[in-house]
Amino acid sequence: MSTQVQNEVLKVIEDRHSVKQYQVGHTIPKEDLEQILTSASLAPSSWNLQHWKLLVIDDQAQKEKLLPIAYGQKQIVESSVVIAVLGDLEANKNAQAVFGPAVAGGFLPQAVMDTLVAQIEGAYQYPQVARDEAIRNGSLAAMNLMLAAKALGYDTCPMGGYDAGKFVEAFNVPARYVPVMLISVGLAATPARSAGRLSLDQITVSNSF
Ligand SMILES: Cc1cc2nc3c(=O)[nH]c(=O)nc-3n(C[C@H](O)[C@H](O)[C@H](O)COP(=O)(O)O)c2cc1C
């Protein structure tokens, strides 16, 4: 990777801030939205099970419905689109779709797939594992999504401030999925203030506690 690309990636990371004020009425071009969603899907995931479902809410009436559920946070209705990142509690069911083509293409021996599937099914006997995996891997997709949006000139705000139960009910989210977070995406009306961070000394431990 060239030094220029490295610097650009680091700049996107550094420049991403949670933006709460957006240019109202702006529509993200379809190709940009698809790029953002594709970049989200490129996140790593346990066993590559891709434990995410992205509910794209761009209809204004649907955003108005979401507004009270998200405790009146204005970015819901003022941003171009709100993407609800959902975690898949039954991502074990994706194994065939994920590994099948590799087996069919001769890249993965059937015996290896069988071992992986047995491992996955063993882990998914435990609801806590399924939930942890859904939230963990869904969060990685969410981060990719926010950085891709920033790279394309948009801003985002991740939101955990909403009533997940009411959200599930209002948007008919199947029991298979757990809400991870909402993310508003759009053009910033006002640049966000940098929120500041703890120092490296405060957040790192060397080798062992
Ligand atoms: C899981 C999660 C939930 C959040 N929930 C909200 C929220 O409901 N409303 C909001 O305005 N910001 C929310 N934020 C944004 C944080 O306040 C913000 O990320 C933090 O202050 C750091 O600022 P920065 O994102 O600009 O670097 C959330 C962030 C995360 C990661």
Side-chain angles (χ1 to χ4, degrees):
M1 194 177 280
S2 72
T3 308
Q4 189 193 344
V5 172
Q6 285 171 1
N7 289 340
E8 282 168 3
V9 170
L10 295 178
K11 182 146 175 54
V12 167
I13 293 172
E14 200 175 303
D15 286 354
R16 184 217 54 82
H17 302 295
S18 294
V19 162
K20 301 174 193 186
Q21 285 162 325
Y22 293 91
Q23 294 179 27
V24 177
H26 169 265
T27 303
I28 297 182
K30 188 168 175 280
E31 51 281 16
D32 282 359
L33 186 56
E34 284 182 1
Q35 178 62 67
I36 290 168
L37 299 171
T38 301
S39 295
S41 80
L42 294 178
S45 61
S46 314
W47 293 293
N48 196 24
L49 289 176
Q50 303 163 54
H51 320 54
W52 40 72
K53 198 71 148 186
L54 305 169
L55 173 57
V56 180
I57 305 171
D58 57 0
D59 179 72
Q60 201 57 25
Q62 293 294 91
K63 290 198 258 162
E64 294 287 349
K65 185 167 85 172
L66 181 56
L67 182 63
I69 294 170
Y71 308 122
Q73 299 196 64
K74 285 210 314 288
Q75 55 270 38
I76 296 285
V77 284
E78 293 185 351
S79 63
S80 307
V81 58
V82 176
I83 299 168
V85 179
L86 310 174
D88 188 353
L89 296 167
E90 299 173 18
N92 53 316
K93 292 183 177 168
N94 293 345
Q96 186 59 46
V98 169
F99 302 126
V103 172
F107 306 113
L108 183 73
Q110 180 68 50
V112 174
M113 173 170 165
D114 293 346
T115 304
L116 286 169
V117 169
Q119 222 178 61
I120 291 164
E121 291 304 327
Y124 272 78
Q125 283 175 17
Y126 305 99
Q128 186 65 44
V129 170
R131 190 179 165 83
D132 287 351
E133 292 289 353
I135 306 278
R136 179 169 28 240
N137 294 290
S139 297
L140 291 171
M143 190 71 250
N144 260 25
L145 189 158
M146 290 187 277
L147 292 177
K150 186 70 201 172
L152 291 173
Y154 301 102
D155 279 288
T156 56
C157 182
M159 283 168 276
Y162 62 98
D163 185 322
K166 285 189 183 156
F167 171 72
V168 162
E169 201 184 323
F171 287 83
N172 303 314
V173 178
R176 175 168 175 169
Y177 302 105
V178 57
V180 174
M181 70 184 80
L182 306 176
I183 303 176
S184 54
V185 189
L187 289 178
T190 325
R193 188 181 63 83
S194 179
R197 288 299 188 264
L198 301 172
S199 70
L200 276 193
D201 281 351
Q202 288 170 301
I203 64 160
T204 57
V205 176
S206 187
N207 292 316
S208 173
F209 278 94

